[in-house]
Amino acid sequence: PPPAPETVKEPTPAQVVERGKYLVEIMGCHDCHSPKLMGPQGPYPDPDRLLSGHTAGTQLPPVPKDNAGWALMAMDLTAAVGPWGTSFSANLTSDDSGIGTWTEDQFKRALKQGLYKGLEGSRPLLPPMPWQNFKNITDEDVHAMFMYLKSTKPVVNVVPAPVPPAAPPGA
């Protein structure tokens, strides 16, 4: 008789969340979306504010006057300044000020199409978010990441809106 077909076991919800955590960690999401503390080896993610984005109300240092041709990051890597203006990393925690009210389709559009909050017709995500790197990510991996992020500790943090570039003198 022919061999019995192998049964494919669906991953458990806990396995899906664990896969999502793995993907979030290896894809470097903490690099920009987790506020940092400074230690003897330099900045490291603040364990109390993981994935909560740029901390609301924090003052950025003055931008150097001679920065033509540069993109600059704040010390904790949650804000960036460049020709696009100033952008702030989003809160990815399960709080409503993060992705708590998002649908999985919104998350997928944000990640794969670079749309703000994953909303059709919204503005593009700003640098340094490398959404173009994720446009071919599988739906299964998007699902796992979404499930992990929805399982995170909610951190209330309303991230500031981006700041457009300064108008050139005389404009």
Side-chain angles (χ1 to χ4, degrees):
E6 290 186 34
T7 57
V8 177
K9 290 185 180 178
E10 289 294 317
T12 66
Q15 289 170 323
V16 171
V17 168
E18 192 60 33
R19 169 84 178 155
K21 179 180 182 190
Y22 166 77
L23 291 166
V24 164
E25 288 177 355
I26 68 162
M27 291 168 65
C29 300
H30 287 289
D31 294 352
C32 297
H33 290 276
S34 290
K36 312 298 181 295
L37 298 173
M38 194 59 70
Q41 302 298 314
Y44 65 95
D46 179 346
D48 293 327
R49 299 183 295 154
L50 293 177
L51 299 168
S52 64
H54 180 78
T55 304
T58 57
Q59 188 73 23
L60 292 178
V63 176
K65 297 278 185 235
D66 186 19
N67 66 1
W70 284 89
L72 307 170
M73 298 288 291
M75 185 66 74
D76 75 349
L77 307 177
T78 64
V81 176
W84 62 88
T86 304
S87 52
F88 303 95
S89 61
N91 181 346
L92 300 181
T93 72
S94 61
D95 188 73
D96 286 355
S97 63
I99 67 163
T101 61
W102 289 32
T103 66
E104 190 169 327
D105 283 339
Q106 282 178 269
F107 183 70
K108 181 178 173 181
R109 276 192 297 273
L111 204 56
K112 295 179 83 162
Q113 297 175 30
L115 295 175
Y116 175 69
K117 294 190 177 186
L119 299 171
E120 294 288 347
S122 63
R123 69 165 171 79
L125 295 179
L126 298 172
M129 177 61 190
W131 70 266
Q132 299 89 343
N133 295 350
F134 310 129
K135 65 183 177 183
N136 295 320
I137 191 172
T138 67
D139 289 347
E140 293 80 16
D141 285 346
V142 170
H143 175 70
M145 292 173 68
F146 185 70
M147 297 310 292
Y148 166 65
L149 293 171
K150 286 290 210 164
S151 78
T152 60
K153 176 185 101 173
V155 178
V156 177
N157 182 41
V158 178
V159 173
V163 179

